[in-house]
């Protein structure tokens, strides 16, 4: 009895007010640029948030340093929802990737602090685990169909249960999403944007051939995915979806841009290939019509670009009502801090679908030591208190910011693509 009372008293000792004493932004480039927010409380507990916006990193760094951090000092780190509302509504200028990435970084850091203060891995505070791990998909890509399928075999040998396939398009010199490096793919590749050439006709001929070969070699068990990178019009996407039906894709991603959410209705009417979209979304309003009209099957909004854990959970909750599952963006430009946050969310929500997982380089993993681990095609966030990711600032300082852009895409006659 005494023991029980002693334990109860211990739990009361958890600080109910955690005053934010300091916050700073760390920009580092261990192979690619990352922007990280570190919030520290008067008690010495600190939290990390990712604020990386590929190709526009310094805009978010300034937003945080110049406009957000001064408003945080002295606030109670426990008041995550109130601080979220304060930064969102209080800014007057709502939404947009820069603002929402900055808010996301604050939100992640505060959840990290709260879970550390509670001495629990974050997923426990979010309701606890709904599954044993978070199924991930890796990227197999190659210049030719043969090369791509060979890469996919390597992923399957590593235990992956889901693989995204991207192949070079015959007749086009280079294709976005198809890298020279295999395991560590980095699309932001120039200090000025490189230019790719695009032909929809050539692409639409090539993709079904890739998936026909992939099913023949890889069999029926493994999940196969494909990313269109917003390159098609709705009717072209409808045609691609239809032509891929025999190969039973897990999803066709970003078939057309979604500024006009209604555009997906047209694709939906023509194909049973499942649809995923949302890696560039930054708010629930970007997804509202897509979700409420059941125009998609997977929502790809992420912790870092869609307002943090607090807002992503709101999006996931709405999606759950309409039998839509999550499939969060998880490319290398989302730091290990975002990956960890995504894993805690993915483990704890009812409608988790799949998580993208592009491996970070050894240099990035050294700057961000983390507790999450890969096993049997799934990631688990680990049981360290908080997010389970740290930042080695001394090591980070050795990698100064290096400007890098995502490529632009032009049609063969020079017209800038995509819509
Ligand atoms: O183009 O992360 O699904 N993954 C992707 C990525 C994105 C980059 C953009 O920064 O589409 O490769
Ligand atoms: Co994508």
């Amino acid at each position: 009895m005494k023991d029980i009372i002693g334990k109860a008293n211990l739990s009361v000792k958890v600080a109910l007010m955690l005053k934010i004493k300091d916050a700073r932004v760390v920009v580092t480039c261990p192979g690619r640029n990352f922007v990280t927010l570190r919030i520290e409380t008067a008690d010495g507990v600190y939290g990390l948030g990712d604020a990386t916006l590929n190709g526009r990193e310094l805009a978010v760094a300034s937003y945080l340093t110049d406009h957000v951090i001064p408003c945080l000092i002295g606030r109670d780190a426990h008041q995550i929802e109130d601080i979220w509302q304060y930064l969102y509504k209080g800014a007057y200028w709502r939404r947009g990737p820069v603002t929402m990435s900055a808010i996301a970084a604050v939100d992640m850091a505060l959840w990290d602090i709260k879970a550390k203060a509670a001495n629990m891995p974050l997923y426990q505070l979010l309701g606890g685990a709904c599954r044993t791990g978070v199924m991930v998909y890796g990227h197999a890509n190659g210049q030719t169909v043969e090369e791509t399928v060979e890469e996919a075999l390597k992923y399957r040998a590593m235990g992956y249960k889901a693989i995204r396939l991207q192949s070079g398009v015959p007749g086009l010199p280079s294709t976005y999403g198809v890298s020279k490096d295999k395991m560590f793919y980095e699309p932001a590749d120039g200090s000025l944007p490189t230019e790719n050439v695009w032909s929809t006709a050539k692409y639409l001929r090539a993709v079904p051939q890739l998936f026909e070969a992939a099913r023949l070699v890889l069999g029926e068990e493994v999940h196969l995915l494909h990313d269109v990178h917003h390159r098609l019009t709705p009717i072209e996407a409808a045609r691609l979806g239809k032509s891929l039906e025999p190969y039973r894709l897990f999803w066709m991603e970003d078939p057309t841009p979604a500024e006009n959410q209604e555009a997906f209705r047209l694709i939906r009417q023509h194909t049973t290939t499942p649809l995923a979209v949302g890696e560039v979304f930054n708010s629930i309003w970007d997804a509202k019509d897509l979700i409420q009209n059941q125009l998609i099957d997977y929502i790809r909004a992420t912790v870092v670009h869609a307002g943090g854990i607090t807002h992503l959970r709101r999006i996931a909750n709405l999606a759950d009502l309409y039998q839509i599952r999550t499939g969060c963006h998880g490319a290398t430009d989302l730091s290990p801090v975002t990956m960890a946050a995504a894993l805690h969310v993915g483990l704890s929500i009812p409608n988790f679908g799949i998580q993208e997982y592009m491996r970070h380089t050894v240099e990035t993993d050294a700057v961000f030591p983390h507790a999450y681990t890969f096993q049997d095609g799934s990631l688990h966030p680990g049981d360290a208190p908080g997010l389970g990711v740290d930042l080695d600032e001394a090591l980070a300082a050795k990698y100064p910011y290096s400007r890098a852009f995502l490529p632009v895409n032009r049609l063969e006659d020079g017209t800038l693509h995509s819509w």
Side-chain angles (χ1 to χ4, degrees):
M1 188 63 188
K2 210 177 164 200
D3 262 349
I4 293 168
I5 292 167
K7 275 181 190 150
N9 282 344
L10 250 188
S11 67
V12 172
K13 275 187 199 148
V14 170
L16 292 180
M17 159 81 183
L18 280 171
K19 208 178 178 134
I20 297 175
K21 191 182 83 182
D22 202 8
R24 62 173 177 274
V25 173
V26 176
V27 180
T28 180
C29 186
R32 69 147 5 270
N33 293 310
F34 293 110
V35 179
T36 310
L37 174 69
R38 187 185 192 276
I39 298 181
E40 201 176 315
T41 64
D43 308 50
V45 184
Y46 66 91
L48 298 178
D50 179 22
T52 309
L53 183 61
N54 204 359
R56 296 293 184 274
E57 295 86 358
L58 299 185
V60 190
S62 161
Y63 193 104
L64 282 167
T65 304
D66 298 321
H67 307 295
V68 171
I69 289 175
C71 305
L72 291 178
I73 308 302
R75 283 180 194 281
D76 180 2
H78 273 316
Q79 292 186 277
I80 298 174
E81 183 69 36
D82 184 64
I83 290 174
W84 195 97
Q85 299 292 337
Y86 180 89
L87 293 175
Y88 182 84
K89 295 175 179 166
Y92 188 80
W93 312 105
R94 299 183 185 199
R95 306 187 284 149
V98 174
T99 298
M100 297 304 279
S101 299
I103 294 177
V106 174
D107 187 77
M108 270 182 255
L110 295 182
W111 277 111
D112 193 18
I113 289 171
K114 191 187 281 293
K116 281 178 179 169
N119 200 25
M120 284 185 184
L122 176 62
Y123 72 84
Q124 294 289 10
L125 294 194
L126 300 179
C130 283
R131 52 193 58 80
T132 52
V134 162
M135 179 170 73
V136 297
Y137 68 93
H139 289 201
N141 60 78
Q143 294 305 326
T144 62
V145 166
E146 292 70 33
E147 230 180 273
T148 308
V149 173
E150 214 170 282
E151 282 305 301
L153 284 169
K154 286 185 203 162
Y155 275 94
R156 205 176 56 176
M158 289 164 74
Y160 282 81
K161 297 189 165 45
I163 308 167
R164 189 188 94 164
L165 304 180
Q166 309 292 129
S167 196
V169 177
L172 298 181
S174 62
T175 308
Y176 186 77
V178 179
S179 66
K180 287 168 210 88
D181 282 337
K182 290 283 181 267
M183 206 50 87
F184 302 108
Y185 160 56
E186 179 47 65
D189 60 359
S191 61
L192 286 173
T194 56
E195 304 212 350
N196 288 331
V197 180
W198 183 257
S199 158
T200 295
K202 290 181 174 128
Y203 171 76
L204 287 181
R205 275 199 299 273
V207 185
Q209 291 168 16
L210 168 64
F211 281 90
E212 186 183 12
R215 272 291 172 223
L216 275 176
V217 176
L218 296 164
E220 292 298 322
E221 274 301 303
V222 67
H223 297 305
L224 299 180
L225 298 79
H226 182 67
D227 192 346
V228 181
H229 290 299
H230 309 111
R231 299 292 195 249
L232 300 177
T233 64
I235 198 69
E236 289 163 352
R239 191 175 125 208
L240 180 62
K242 260 180 122 160
S243 63
L244 292 176
E245 279 170 19
Y247 315 115
R248 294 163 302 283
L249 265 61
F250 186 91
W251 78 32
M252 175 167 75
E253 171 181 340
D254 293 348
T256 200
E259 284 99 319
N260 175 19
Q261 297 179 43
E262 190 64 24
F264 277 68
R265 190 181 298 282
L266 197 148
I267 307 172
R268 197 62 155 172
Q269 281 166 348
H270 288 285
T271 182
T272 55
T273 294
L275 304 176
V277 73
E279 66 181 47
V280 303
F281 290 2
N282 45 68
S283 140
I284 198 166
W285 302 103
D286 292 334
K288 177 178 162 287
D289 298 344
L290 287 167
I291 292 172
Q292 291 185 330
N293 295 312
Q294 295 184 285
L295 300 181
I296 54 172
D297 301 280
Y298 296 90
I299 177 72
R300 286 186 41 74
T302 65
V303 174
V304 57
H305 301 132
I309 292 160
T310 298
H311 198 62
L312 185 65
R313 288 218 302 167
R314 194 153 282 145
I315 295 172
N317 282 340
L318 179 67
D320 187 42
L321 300 181
Y322 296 93
Q323 295 164 291
I324 293 165
R325 288 179 282 172
T326 60
C328 296
H329 190 201
T332 44
D333 48 298
L334 289 76
S335 94
V337 180
T338 286
M339 183 53 73
L343 298 178
H344 287 282
V345 172
L347 201 65
S348 60
I349 56 171
N351 57 326
F352 167 79
I354 199 168
Q355 169 68 48
E356 184 179 23
Y357 176 44
M358 277 170 81
R359 284 164 189 259
H360 288 111
T361 59
V362 176
E363 291 78 14
T364 298
D365 283 341
V367 169
F368 296 95
H370 52 75
Y372 59 80
T373 50
F374 175 85
Q375 206 192 345
D376 294 334
S378 291
L379 281 168
H380 191 283
D383 284 319
L387 289 170
V389 184
D390 217 333
L391 171 64
D392 182 336
E393 287 193 65
L395 192 56
K398 292 189 181 157
Y399 301 108
Y401 169 75
S402 165
R403 195 180 67 203
F405 288 102
L406 289 164
V408 299
N409 206 31
R410 291 187 188 276
L411 301 179
E412 287 166 302
D413 72 354
T415 306
L416 200 74
H417 202 50
S418 336
W419 281 261

